[in-house]
Amino acid sequence: MAIVTVDFDGTLFQGNSFNVMFQAGRKQFKFRDWGIVSTGLVKAAFLGAVKGKEALRHEFFKSFARTFKGKTNEELDAFFQELVDHGKKEVHHDLIHTIRMHQENGDTVIVLSGALLPFLKAFTKEVKLDVHVISTELLFDEKGHCTGQIGEIVNGDVKVRKVQEWLDQLSKESLSDNGKESEIWAYADSESDIPLLQYVQYPVVVNPKDEMKKIAEENEWEIFAS
């Protein structure tokens, strides 16, 4: 049995989460919400200039999460379904076909991403993928209301640790070391995924841009192009 991890942005989803979030926000956000996002974007732009695009992306997600403060899971469902409705035309259907082939072979598939967990759960349900999802969580209080905060962003080295933790848990549940002995695949597209691609036995770079394509070729990683 193999463990197959699949990135979301730029991989399973060929669009841009930033764009679909703004599109959904235009329908559902109030003036106060846009004020929160705008303030966050100013901070994100500063961090991006100083620390790079991943810092910008992280601050962007944090600013959006703050608009969810006080909402229940049920209230958030409509927002994330709106994201799915805007983004489902950007599904990477060839990759979904490959995922289904893995599952037919008995492999376990994990969508592993820094994107928000409710979005990924709604998205995988929409495209009828029965997979595990490990991604950035929204936090809730004891009454079931969103705090406006997020958990650890699942990106870079964190992805490697999350896979290791998942394998450790699998081994405990099966009372064996089978999880640790599993072959591991990774389908991903960006430089932030390099730690994961280096960690797994079967790295696959999906539709890479020029710089990532060069890195893939230098490392003799498989390229999945469509």
Side-chain angles (χ1 to χ4, degrees):
M1 179 189 75
I3 307 298
V4 181
T5 69
V6 183
D7 178 48
F8 186 67
D9 274 303
T11 306
L12 182 59
F13 176 62
Q14 297 180 99
N16 187 312
S17 290
F18 287 80
N19 291 339
V20 294
M21 283 186 173
F22 272 114
Q23 290 170 14
R26 282 192 300 184
K27 284 190 175 182
Q28 300 202 26
F29 280 1
K30 298 178 181 178
F31 182 78
R32 168 188 168 277
D33 299 320
W34 283 118
I36 293 172
V37 171
S38 297
T39 301
L41 285 177
V42 171
K43 185 176 180 180
F46 173 76
L47 289 175
V50 174
K51 297 183 179 181
K53 65 180 181 181
E54 286 304 318
L56 183 153
R57 181 184 181 86
H58 292 179
E59 189 58 38
F60 175 81
F61 278 133
K62 290 177 183 178
S63 68
F64 255 83
R66 285 192 282 272
T67 68
F68 302 144
K69 185 176 181 179
K71 296 184 182 297
T72 64
N73 268 312
E74 291 74 16
E75 290 172 321
L76 290 171
D77 283 346
F79 178 81
F80 289 109
Q81 186 58 49
E82 192 75 39
L83 262 64
V84 171
D85 291 341
H86 282 293
K88 60 186 177 183
K89 61 181 178 295
E90 303 285 354
V91 174
H92 195 323
H93 291 285
D94 289 344
L95 184 54
I96 284 186
H97 176 70
T98 298
I99 289 171
R100 297 196 194 284
M101 289 179 62
H102 275 290
Q103 291 177 318
E104 289 173 4
N105 290 332
D107 299 337
T108 299
V109 178
I110 304 170
V111 174
L112 181 67
S113 170
L116 293 174
L117 182 61
F119 180 26
L120 295 190
K121 285 188 172 181
F123 195 95
T124 53
K125 180 179 179 181
E126 181 72 25
V127 298
K128 296 180 173 58
L129 277 180
D130 184 13
V131 296
H132 299 275
V133 179
I134 299 175
S135 62
T136 305
E137 298 184 15
L138 281 173
L139 302 184
F140 292 81
D141 62 22
E142 65 280 358
K143 295 182 179 180
H145 295 101
C146 184
T147 64
Q149 303 296 315
I150 60 175
E152 185 175 34
I153 295 176
V154 182
N155 192 58
D157 291 325
V158 177
K159 286 190 174 184
V160 176
R161 177 161 52 79
K162 289 294 184 181
V163 171
Q164 292 170 334
E165 290 172 353
W166 195 88
L167 290 173
D168 287 342
Q169 185 61 35
L170 182 65
S171 295
K172 291 177 183 178
E173 291 175 356
S174 62
L175 301 178
S176 72
D177 290 329
N178 291 338
K180 295 180 181 179
E181 297 171 358
S182 297
E183 295 178 347
I184 309 175
W185 293 63
Y187 290 86
D189 76 300
S190 68
E191 292 181 40
S192 66
D193 296 307
I194 289 175
L196 180 65
L197 292 164
Q198 291 174 329
Y199 171 73
V200 304
Q201 293 97 327
Y202 297 97
V204 183
V205 184
V206 180
N207 290 340
K209 295 182 180 178
D210 291 344
E211 185 60 32
M212 193 62 195
K213 182 177 181 181
K214 181 180 178 182
I215 292 171
E217 291 172 344
E218 289 174 349
N219 286 276
E220 298 183 343
W221 293 337
E222 181 180 345
I223 293 177
F224 186 109
S226 60

